[in-house]
Amino acid sequence: MLNQMTLSFAIIAILIIAGATAAMTFRNLVHCALAVAVAFAGLAFAYLQLNAQFVGLAQILVYVGAVAILIVFAVLLTRGGEAAEKKVFSASWIWGGAIAVAVFGVLAWAIQHSFASQREPLPEAGASVKQIGTALMTKYVLPLEVIGLLLTAALIGAVIIAMREEDKSK
Amino acid sequence: MTPLAGYLLLSAMLFAIGLAGALTRRNAIIVLIGIELMLNAANLNFIAFWRFGPNPEALTGMMFVIFAIAVAAAEAAVGLALIIAIYRHYKTTAVDEVNHLKG
């Protein structure tokens, strides 16, 4: 059981890390968008592995279904996929990479030395869709309404920002 | 290594990759993808702590992730709209060429 668990975890981890690394290093923007979709799908599998079925399916619907497609549309509208750029990385890429490595080092050190990660896992933890729905309609009903308002505002705002500007000189 | 530590290390690795991409790439769309990866790393942390934490029946971590996914979707829509607007104005999406406040 534990061996199966570690094997599937290793496969999911390799999928996520490979997808993310490819998305950050490929030159062609369309390839980057496809690689990040792979990383998002790997995260959805990780959520399913962690017994969070609802979140895993929401991840597939929102990220693989919507955000990845949105990124492809943005690449097409900005003509980024036509020709590979000459310079992919910015001039100060050494500093950026060093900061990222330092952040990972600090996080890994903290995880290895925290007592929370030493604790043995609980046998079973899960949440049915019914439980989530009840919680959303009772305890979390106000955040749910606020999220609805936020999505409406973001929809209108995105359309207004991306709308073609009228020529003011006329 | 306990499963929780494994998931936390995976999430830290994903965060570092996203941070490296956001700091080093020139294209604004890739910078936005890096930010999305960092948000996803935080979500993975929430789910791992919810699954292996002391009272999973409270559903706190899971609710946080559901709301974070909704906010991230709104953020991606507005961010990509901004990139399209900037491209229309400057004819480029390289973040180091967009350096005028009133261009």
Side-chain angles (χ1 to χ4, degrees):
Chain A
M1 178 62 203
L2 195 70
N3 261 328
Q4 257 180 8
M5 185 82 182
T6 37
L7 181 67
S8 53
F9 173 73
I11 294 171
I12 288 169
I14 290 169
L15 195 68
I16 294 174
I17 297 297
T21 314
M24 292 295 108
T25 48
F26 281 172
R27 298 182 84 86
N28 190 318
L29 292 184
V30 178
H31 295 172
C32 288
L34 294 177
V36 84
V38 170
F40 287 153
L43 276 159
F45 293 140
Y47 295 156
L48 294 178
Q49 173 91 2
L50 285 165
N51 260 350
Q53 283 88 0
F54 183 79
V55 178
L57 293 176
Q59 168 89 7
I60 290 181
L61 275 178
V62 174
Y63 275 104
V64 184
V67 173
I69 302 299
L70 207 60
I71 290 169
V72 172
F73 268 111
V75 170
L76 295 181
L77 284 175
T78 58
R79 299 189 194 143
E82 275 179 3
E85 297 162 83
K86 296 177 290 293
K87 264 172 62 191
V88 175
F89 294 103
S90 66
S92 59
W93 65 272
I94 294 180
W95 286 108
I99 289 169
V101 170
V103 165
F104 177 70
V106 170
L107 284 176
W109 179 84
I111 289 163
Q112 289 296 333
H113 288 81
S114 77
F115 89 104
S117 61
Q118 314 297 331
R119 193 168 44 207
E120 282 307 305
L122 297 167
E124 267 310 308
S128 66
V129 178
K130 190 182 173 190
Q131 278 175 296
I132 295 170
T134 312
L136 275 177
M137 282 297 132
T138 54
K139 197 176 166 190
Y140 298 97
V141 68
L142 192 63
L144 188 74
E145 298 291 333
V146 173
I147 281 289
L149 198 64
L150 173 82
L151 284 174
T152 314
L155 184 75
I156 298 170
V159 169
I160 288 176
I161 290 170
M163 208 155 50
R164 194 170 289 278
E165 280 176 48
E166 293 294 320
D167 199 352
K168 291 194 182 72
S169 58
K170 281 179 195 168
Chain B
M1 196 166 68
T2 55
L4 177 59
Y7 279 105
L8 293 185
L9 276 176
L10 172 63
S11 155
M13 189 84 205
L14 187 64
F15 185 88
I17 293 173
L19 183 65
L23 289 178
T24 57
R25 290 294 296 249
R26 284 180 76 228
N27 194 297
I29 295 173
I30 307 292
V31 172
L32 199 74
I33 290 177
I35 292 168
E36 289 288 333
L37 286 178
M38 288 194 275
L39 265 167
N40 271 288
N43 283 354
L44 183 60
N45 257 1
F46 274 120
I47 290 289
F49 276 120
W50 165 79
R51 169 68 178 80
F52 299 114
N55 17 332
E57 67 279 355
L59 293 178
T60 317
M62 195 175 228
M63 284 303 153
F64 214 112
V65 171
I66 291 171
F67 289 121
I69 287 177
V71 174
E75 175 253 327
V78 175
L80 289 171
L82 279 173
I83 290 172
I84 290 171
I86 287 173
Y87 174 77
R88 204 171 279 147
H89 193 86
Y90 287 97
K91 301 285 173 240
T92 179
T93 52
V95 284
D96 50 1
E97 284 172 33
V98 182
N99 50 11
H100 297 286
L101 274 180
K102 191 176 182 217

